[in-house]
Coordinates of all heavy atoms in Angstrom, one line a residue:
M116 N 114.0 -84.0 15.9 CA 113.2 -85.0 16.5 C 113.3 -86.3 15.6 O 113.2 -86.2 14.4 CB 111.8 -84.5 16.6 CG 110.9 -85.4 17.3 SD 109.4 -84.5 17.7 CE 108.2 -85.7 17.4
T117 N 113.5 -87.4 16.3 CA 113.6 -88.7 15.6 C 112.2 -89.3 15.4 O 111.3 -89.1 16.2 CB 114.5 -89.6 16.3 OG1 114.7 -90.8 15.6 CG2 114.0 -89.9 17.7
A118 N 112.1 -90.0 14.3 CA 110.8 -90.8 14.1 C 110.8 -92.0 15.0 O 111.8 -92.7 15.1 CB 110.7 -91.2 12.6
R119 N 109.6 -92.3 15.6 CA 109.5 -93.4 16.4 C 108.3 -94.2 15.9 O 107.3 -93.7 15.5 CB 109.3 -93.0 17.9 CG 110.5 -92.4 18.5 CD 110.4 -92.3 20.0 NE 111.7 -91.9 20.5 CZ 112.6 -92.8 21.0 NH1 112.3 -94.0 20.9 NH2 113.7 -92.4 21.5
R120 N 108.4 -95.5 16.0 CA 107.3 -96.5 15.6 C 106.7 -97.0 16.9 O 107.3 -97.5 17.8 CB 107.9 -97.6 14.8 CG 106.9 -98.6 14.3 CD 107.6 -99.5 13.3 NE 109.0 -99.8 13.6 CZ 109.4 -100.9 14.2 NH1 108.6 -101.8 14.6 NH2 110.7 -101.1 14.3
L121 N 105.3 -96.8 17.0 CA 104.6 -97.3 18.1 C 104.6 -98.8 18.2 O 104.3 -99.5 17.2 CB 103.2 -96.8 18.1 CG 102.3 -97.1 19.3 CD1 102.9 -96.4 20.5 CD2 100.9 -96.6 19.0
V122 N 104.9 -99.4 19.3 CA 105.0 -100.8 19.5 C 103.9 -101.4 20.4 O 103.3 -102.4 20.1 CB 106.4 -101.2 20.1 CG1 106.5 -102.7 20.4 CG2 107.5 -100.8 19.2
Y123 N 103.6 -100.6 21.4 CA 102.6 -101.1 22.5 C 102.0 -99.9 23.1 O 102.8 -98.9 23.4 CB 103.4 -101.9 23.4 CG 102.7 -102.6 24.6 CD1 101.6 -103.4 24.4 CD2 103.2 -102.5 25.9 CE1 101.0 -104.1 25.4 CE2 102.6 -103.2 26.9 CZ 101.5 -104.0 26.7 OH 100.9 -104.7 27.7
A124 N 100.7 -99.8 23.3 CA 100.1 -98.6 23.9 C 98.8 -99.0 24.6 O 98.2 -100.1 24.3 CB 99.9 -97.6 22.9
G125 N 98.4 -98.2 25.6 CA 97.1 -98.5 26.2 C 96.7 -97.2 27.0 O 97.5 -96.4 27.3
T126 N 95.4 -97.1 27.2 CA 94.8 -95.9 27.9 C 93.8 -96.4 28.9 O 93.0 -97.3 28.6 CB 94.1 -95.0 26.9 OG1 95.0 -94.6 25.9 CG2 93.5 -93.8 27.6
F127 N 93.9 -95.9 30.1 CA 93.0 -96.2 31.2 C 92.5 -94.9 31.8 O 93.4 -94.2 32.3 CB 93.7 -97.1 32.2 CG 94.2 -98.4 31.6 CD1 95.4 -98.5 31.0 CD2 93.4 -99.5 31.6 CE1 95.8 -99.7 30.4 CE2 93.8 -100.7 31.0 CZ 95.0 -100.8 30.4
P128 N 91.2 -94.6 31.7 CA 90.7 -93.3 32.1 C 91.2 -92.8 33.5 O 91.6 -91.6 33.6 CB 89.2 -93.4 32.1 CG 89.0 -94.5 31.1 CD 90.2 -95.5 31.3
E129 N 91.2 -93.6 34.5 CA 91.5 -93.1 35.8 C 93.0 -93.1 36.1 O 93.5 -92.4 37.0 CB 90.9 -94.0 36.9 CG 89.4 -94.1 36.9 CD 88.9 -95.2 36.0 OE1 89.7 -95.9 35.4 OE2 87.6 -95.2 35.8
V130 N 93.8 -93.9 35.3 CA 95.2 -94.1 35.5 C 96.1 -93.2 34.6 O 97.0 -92.6 35.0 CB 95.6 -95.6 35.4 CG1 97.0 -95.8 35.5 CG2 94.8 -96.4 36.4
G131 N 95.7 -93.2 33.3 CA 96.5 -92.5 32.3 C 96.8 -93.4 31.1 O 96.0 -94.4 30.9
R132 N 97.8 -93.1 30.4 CA 98.2 -93.9 29.3 C 99.7 -94.2 29.2 O 100.4 -93.5 29.9 CB 97.7 -93.3 28.0 CG 98.4 -92.0 27.6 CD 97.8 -91.4 26.4 NE 98.5 -90.2 25.9 CZ 98.3 -89.0 26.2 NH1 97.3 -88.7 27.0 NH2 99.1 -88.0 25.8
F133 N 100.0 -95.3 28.5 CA 101.4 -95.6 28.3 C 101.7 -95.9 26.9 O 100.8 -96.2 26.1 CB 101.8 -96.8 29.2 CG 101.1 -98.1 28.8 CD1 101.7 -98.9 27.9 CD2 99.8 -98.4 29.2 CE1 101.1 -100.1 27.4 CE2 99.2 -99.6 28.8 CZ 99.8 -100.4 27.9
R134 N 102.9 -95.7 26.5 CA 103.4 -95.9 25.1 C 104.8 -96.6 25.2 O 105.6 -96.2 26.0 CB 103.5 -94.6 24.3 CG 102.2 -94.0 24.0 CD 102.4 -92.8 23.1 NE 103.3 -91.8 23.6 CZ 103.0 -90.5 23.6 NH1 101.8 -90.1 23.1 NH2 103.8 -89.6 24.1
V135 N 105.0 -97.5 24.3 CA 106.3 -98.1 24.0 C 106.5 -97.8 22.5 O 105.7 -98.2 21.7 CB 106.4 -99.6 24.3 CG1 107.7 -100.1 24.0 CG2 106.0 -99.9 25.8
S136 N 107.6 -97.2 22.2 CA 107.9 -96.9 20.8 C 109.4 -97.2 20.6 O 110.2 -97.3 21.5 CB 107.7 -95.4 20.5 OG 108.5 -94.6 21.4
W137 N 109.7 -97.5 19.3 CA 111.0 -97.9 18.8 C 111.6 -96.8 18.0 O 110.9 -96.2 17.1 CB 110.9 -99.2 18.0 CG 112.2 -99.5 17.3 CD1 112.5 -99.4 16.0 CD2 113.4 -100.0 17.9 NE1 113.7 -99.8 15.7 CE2 114.3 -100.2 16.9 CE3 113.8 -100.3 19.2 CZ2 115.6 -100.7 17.1 CZ3 115.1 -100.8 19.4 CH2 116.0 -101.0 18.4
S138 N 112.9 -96.5 18.2 CA 113.6 -95.5 17.4 C 114.7 -96.3 16.5 O 115.6 -96.9 17.1 CB 114.3 -94.5 18.2 OG 115.2 -93.7 17.5
D139 N 114.6 -96.2 15.2 CA 115.6 -96.8 14.4 C 116.9 -96.0 14.5 O 118.0 -96.6 14.5 CB 115.1 -96.8 12.9 CG 114.1 -97.9 12.6 OD1 114.1 -98.9 13.3 OD2 113.2 -97.6 11.8
E140 N 116.8 -94.7 14.6 CA 118.0 -93.9 14.7 C 118.8 -94.2 16.0 O 120.0 -94.3 15.9 CB 117.6 -92.4 14.8 CG 118.7 -91.5 14.8 CD 118.3 -90.0 14.9 OE1 117.2 -89.7 14.6 OE2 119.2 -89.2 15.2
F141 N 118.2 -94.4 17.1 CA 118.9 -94.6 18.3 C 118.9 -96.1 18.7 O 119.6 -96.5 19.7 CB 118.3 -93.8 19.5 CG 118.4 -92.3 19.3 CD1 117.3 -91.6 19.1 CD2 119.7 -91.7 19.3 CE1 117.4 -90.2 18.9 CE2 119.8 -90.3 19.1 CZ 118.6 -89.6 18.9
E142 N 118.2 -96.9 18.0 CA 118.1 -98.3 18.2 C 117.7 -98.6 19.7 O 118.4 -99.4 20.4 CB 119.4 -99.1 17.8 CG 119.7 -99.0 16.4 CD 120.9 -99.7 15.9 OE1 121.7 -100.2 16.8 OE2 121.1 -99.9 14.7
E143 N 116.6 -98.0 20.1 CA 116.2 -98.2 21.5 C 114.7 -98.1 21.6 O 114.1 -97.5 20.7 CB 116.8 -97.2 22.4 CG 116.3 -95.8 22.2 CD 117.0 -94.7 23.0 OE1 118.0 -95.1 23.8 OE2 116.6 -93.6 22.9
Y144 N 114.1 -98.6 22.6 CA 112.7 -98.5 22.9 C 112.6 -97.4 24.0 O 113.4 -97.2 24.9 CB 112.1 -99.8 23.5 CG 112.1 -100.9 22.5 CD1 113.1 -101.8 22.3 CD2 111.0 -101.0 21.7 CE1 113.1 -102.8 21.4 CE2 110.9 -102.0 20.7 CZ 112.0 -102.9 20.6 OH 111.9 -103.9 19.6
R145 N 111.5 -96.6 23.9 CA 111.2 -95.6 24.9 C 109.8 -96.0 25.5 O 108.9 -96.2 24.7 CB 111.1 -94.2 24.2 CG 110.7 -93.1 25.2 CD 110.8 -91.8 24.7 NE 109.8 -91.6 23.6 CZ 109.7 -90.5 22.9 NH1 110.5 -89.4 23.2 NH2 108.8 -90.4 22.0
V146 N 109.8 -96.0 26.8 CA 108.5 -96.3 27.5 C 108.1 -95.0 28.2 O 108.9 -94.3 28.9 CB 108.7 -97.4 28.6 CG1 107.5 -97.7 29.3 CG2 109.3 -98.6 28.0
Q147 N 106.9 -94.6 28.0 CA 106.4 -93.4 28.6 C 105.1 -93.7 29.4 O 104.2 -94.4 28.9 CB 106.1 -92.3 27.6 CG 107.3 -91.7 26.9 CD 106.9 -90.7 25.9 OE1 106.0 -90.9 25.0 NE2 107.6 -89.6 25.9
L148 N 104.9 -93.1 30.5 CA 103.7 -93.1 31.3 C 103.2 -91.7 31.4 O 103.9 -90.8 31.9 CB 103.9 -93.7 32.7 CG 102.7 -93.8 33.6 CD1 101.7 -94.7 33.0 CD2 103.1 -94.3 35.0
I149 N 101.9 -91.5 31.0 CA 101.4 -90.1 31.0 C 100.1 -90.1 31.8 O 99.2 -91.0 31.6 CB 101.1 -89.7 29.5 CG1 102.4 -89.7 28.7 CG2 100.4 -88.4 29.4 CD1 102.4 -90.4 27.4
D150 N 99.9 -89.1 32.6 CA 98.7 -89.1 33.4 C 97.5 -88.6 32.6 O 97.6 -88.2 31.4 CB 98.9 -88.2 34.7 CG 98.9 -86.7 34.4 OD1 98.7 -86.3 33.3 OD2 99.1 -86.0 35.4
P151 N 96.2 -88.7 33.1 CA 95.1 -88.4 32.3 C 95.1 -86.9 31.8 O 94.4 -86.6 30.8 CB 93.9 -88.6 33.3 CG 94.4 -89.7 34.2 CD 95.9 -89.4 34.4
A152 N 95.8 -86.0 32.5 CA 95.8 -84.6 32.1 C 96.9 -84.4 31.0 O 97.0 -83.3 30.5 CB 96.1 -83.8 33.3
G153 N 97.7 -85.4 30.7 CA 98.7 -85.3 29.7 C 100.1 -85.0 30.1 O 101.0 -84.9 29.3
Q154 N 100.3 -85.0 31.4 CA 101.6 -84.8 32.0 C 102.5 -86.1 32.0 O 102.0 -87.1 32.4 CB 101.5 -84.3 33.4 CG 102.9 -84.0 34.1 CD 102.7 -83.5 35.5 OE1 101.6 -83.2 35.9 NE2 103.8 -83.3 36.2
L155 N 103.7 -86.0 31.5 CA 104.6 -87.1 31.5 C 105.0 -87.4 32.9 O 105.6 -86.6 33.6 CB 105.9 -86.8 30.7 CG 106.9 -87.9 30.5 CD1 106.3 -89.1 29.8 CD2 108.1 -87.3 29.8
L156 N 104.8 -88.6 33.4 CA 105.1 -89.0 34.7 C 106.4 -89.8 34.8 O 107.1 -89.7 35.8 CB 104.0 -89.9 35.3 CG 102.6 -89.3 35.4 CD1 101.6 -90.3 35.9 CD2 102.6 -88.1 36.4
A157 N 106.7 -90.6 33.8 CA 107.9 -91.4 33.8 C 108.3 -91.7 32.4 O 107.4 -91.8 31.5 CB 107.6 -92.7 34.6
E158 N 109.6 -91.9 32.2 CA 110.1 -92.2 30.9 C 111.3 -93.2 31.1 O 112.1 -93.0 32.0 CB 110.6 -91.0 30.2 CG 110.9 -91.2 28.7 CD 111.0 -89.8 28.0 OE1 111.7 -88.9 28.5 OE2 110.4 -89.7 26.9
Y159 N 111.4 -94.2 30.3 CA 112.5 -95.2 30.4 C 113.0 -95.6 29.0 O 112.2 -95.7 28.1 CB 111.9 -96.4 31.2 CG 112.8 -97.6 31.3 CD1 113.8 -97.6 32.3 CD2 112.6 -98.7 30.6 CE1 114.6 -98.7 32.4 CE2 113.4 -99.9 30.7 CZ 114.4 -99.8 31.7 OH 115.2 -100.9 31.8
F160 N 114.3 -95.8 28.9 CA 114.9 -96.2 27.6 C 115.6 -97.5 27.8 O 116.3 -97.7 28.8 CB 115.9 -95.2 27.1 CG 115.2 -93.8 26.8 CD1 115.1 -92.9 27.8 CD2 114.7 -93.5 25.6 CE1 114.5 -91.6 27.6 CE2 114.1 -92.3 25.3 CZ 114.0 -91.4 26.3
T161 N 115.5 -98.4 26.8 CA 116.1 -99.7 26.8 C 116.3 -100.2 25.4 O 115.6 -99.8 24.5 CB 115.3 -100.7 27.7 OG1 116.1 -102.0 27.7 CG2 114.0 -101.0 27.1
E162 N 117.2 -101.1 25.2 CA 117.4 -101.7 23.9 C 116.7 -103.0 23.7 O 116.6 -103.6 22.6 CB 118.9 -102.0 23.6 CG 119.7 -100.7 23.6 CD 121.2 -100.9 23.4 OE1 121.7 -102.1 23.5 OE2 122.0 -100.0 23.3
D163 N 116.1 -103.5 24.8 CA 115.4 -104.8 24.8 C 113.9 -104.6 24.8 O 113.3 -104.0 25.7 CB 115.8 -105.6 26.1 CG 115.2 -106.9 26.2 OD1 115.4 -107.7 25.2 OD2 114.5 -107.2 27.2
R164 N 113.2 -105.2 23.8 CA 111.8 -105.1 23.7 C 111.0 -105.7 24.9 O 110.1 -105.1 25.4 CB 111.3 -105.8 22.4 CG 109.8 -105.6 22.1 CD 109.4 -106.3 20.9 NE 108.0 -106.2 20.7 CZ 107.4 -105.8 19.6 NH1 108.1 -105.5 18.5 NH2 106.1 -105.8 19.5
A165 N 111.4 -106.9 25.3 CA 110.8 -107.6 26.4 C 110.9 -106.7 27.7 O 109.9 -106.6 28.4 CB 111.3 -108.9 26.6
D166 N 112.0 -106.1 27.9 CA 112.2 -105.2 29.0 C 111.3 -104.0 28.9 O 110.7 -103.6 29.9 CB 113.7 -104.8 29.1 CG 114.0 -103.9 30.3 OD1 113.4 -104.1 31.4 OD2 114.8 -102.9 30.1
A167 N 111.2 -103.4 27.7 CA 110.3 -102.3 27.5 C 108.9 -102.6 27.8 O 108.2 -101.8 28.6 CB 110.5 -101.8 26.1
V168 N 108.4 -103.7 27.3 CA 107.0 -104.1 27.6 C 106.8 -104.4 29.1 O 105.8 -104.0 29.6 CB 106.6 -105.3 26.7 CG1 105.2 -105.8 27.0 CG2 106.6 -104.8 25.2
A169 N 107.7 -105.1 29.7 CA 107.5 -105.4 31.1 C 107.6 -104.2 31.9 O 106.8 -104.0 32.9 CB 108.7 -106.4 31.5
T170 N 108.4 -103.2 31.6 CA 108.5 -102.0 32.3 C 107.2 -101.2 32.2 O 106.7 -100.6 33.1 CB 109.7 -101.1 31.8 OG1 110.9 -101.9 32.1 CG2 109.8 -99.8 32.5
A171 N 106.6 -101.1 31.0 CA 105.4 -100.5 30.8 C 104.3 -101.1 31.7 O 103.5 -100.4 32.3 CB 105.0 -100.5 29.3
D172 N 104.3 -102.4 31.7 CA 103.3 -103.1 32.6 C 103.5 -102.7 34.1 O 102.5 -102.5 34.8 CB 103.3 -104.6 32.4 CG 102.8 -105.0 31.0 OD1 102.1 -104.2 30.4 OD2 103.1 -106.2 30.6
R173 N 104.7 -102.7 34.5 CA 105.0 -102.4 35.9 C 104.7 -100.9 36.2 O 104.1 -100.6 37.3 CB 106.5 -102.6 36.2 CG 106.9 -104.0 36.5 CD 108.3 -104.1 37.1 NE 109.3 -103.5 36.3 CZ 109.9 -104.0 35.3 NH1 109.6 -105.3 34.9 NH2 110.9 -103.4 34.7
M174 N 105.0 -100.0 35.3 CA 104.6 -98.6 35.5 C 103.1 -98.4 35.6 O 102.7 -97.7 36.5 CB 105.1 -97.8 34.3 CG 106.6 -97.5 34.2 SD 106.9 -96.5 32.8 CE 108.6 -96.1 33.0
L175 N 102.4 -99.1 34.8 CA 100.9 -99.0 34.8 C 100.4 -99.6 36.1 O 99.5 -99.0 36.7 CB 100.4 -99.8 33.6 CG 98.9 -99.7 33.4 CD1 98.5 -98.2 33.2 CD2 98.4 -100.5 32.3
A176 N 100.9 -100.7 36.5 CA 100.4 -101.3 37.8 C 100.7 -100.5 39.0 O 99.9 -100.3 39.8 CB 101.0 -102.7 37.9
D177 N 101.9 -99.9 39.0 CA 102.3 -99.0 40.1 C 101.4 -97.8 40.1 O 101.0 -97.3 41.2 CB 103.8 -98.6 40.0 CG 104.7 -99.7 40.2 OD1 104.3 -100.8 40.7 OD2 105.9 -99.6 40.0
R178 N 101.2 -97.2 38.9 CA 100.3 -96.0 38.9 C 98.9 -96.3 39.3 O 98.2 -95.5 40.0 CB 100.3 -95.4 37.4 CG 99.5 -94.3 37.2 CD 99.9 -93.0 37.9 NE 99.0 -92.0 37.6 CZ 98.8 -90.9 38.3 NH1 99.5 -90.7 39.4 NH2 97.9 -90.0 38.0
A179 N 98.4 -97.5 38.9 CA 97.0 -97.9 39.3 C 96.9 -98.0 40.8 O 95.9 -97.5 41.4 CB 96.6 -99.2 38.6
A180 N 97.9 -98.6 41.4 CA 97.9 -98.7 42.9 C 98.0 -97.4 43.5 O 97.4 -97.1 44.5 CB 99.1 -99.6 43.3
Q181 N 98.8 -96.5 42.9 CA 99.0 -95.1 43.5 C 97.7 -94.3 43.5 O 97.4 -93.6 44.4 CB 100.0 -94.4 42.6 CG 100.4 -93.0 43.1 CD 101.4 -92.4 42.2 OE1 101.3 -92.4 41.0 NE2 102.4 -91.8 42.8
V182 N 96.9 -94.5 42.4 CA 95.6 -93.7 42.4 C 94.4 -94.5 42.9 O 93.3 -94.1 42.9 CB 95.3 -93.2 40.9 CG1 96.4 -92.3 40.5 CG2 95.1 -94.4 40.0
G183 N 94.7 -95.7 43.4 CA 93.6 -96.5 44.1 C 92.7 -97.3 43.2 O 91.6 -97.6 43.5
V184 N 93.2 -97.7 42.0 CA 92.4 -98.4 41.0 C 92.8 -99.9 41.0 O 92.1 -100.7 40.5 CB 92.6 -97.8 39.6 CG1 91.8 -98.5 38.6 CG2 92.1 -96.3 39.7
A185 N 94.0 -100.2 41.5 CA 94.5 -101.6 41.4 C 93.6 -102.6 42.2 O 93.0 -102.3 43.1 CB 95.9 -101.6 42.0

């Protein structure tokens, strides 16, 4: 398992949580969307920080709309 540094994160009770982390080993960002029960809903990898943060925001907005919180 590679060490990852947390870059951006947030938790919303009805929607779930998201994390953006950086891996020095793989030189990439990982974006994860996790539901309130802890199940991984989506995962995305990119080398671009702005893309990672924008993707996390889009995932969160899509999930909020899906559960009726948007």
Side-chain angles (χ1 to χ4, degrees):
M116 188 166 138
T117 182
R119 291 191 170 270
R120 183 171 30 101
L121 187 62
V122 175
Y123 184 52
T126 301
F127 300 87
E129 300 88 4
V130 177
R132 65 184 189 268
F133 66 92
R134 291 190 296 231
V135 176
S136 58
W137 169 255
S138 168
D139 287 327
E140 181 179 347
F141 297 111
E142 296 183 350
E143 69 183 5
Y144 292 92
R145 177 174 66 182
V146 181
Q147 294 180 310
L148 179 64
I149 300 135
D150 75 5
Q154 180 180 353
L155 180 65
L156 298 174
E158 191 168 48
Y159 176 74
F160 297 90
T161 182
E162 295 176 355
D163 182 58
R164 182 182 179 130
D166 180 39
V168 171
T170 298
D172 289 343
R173 278 192 309 275
M174 284 180 173
L175 185 62
D177 290 348
R178 176 68 179 161
Q181 184 180 45
V182 298
V184 178

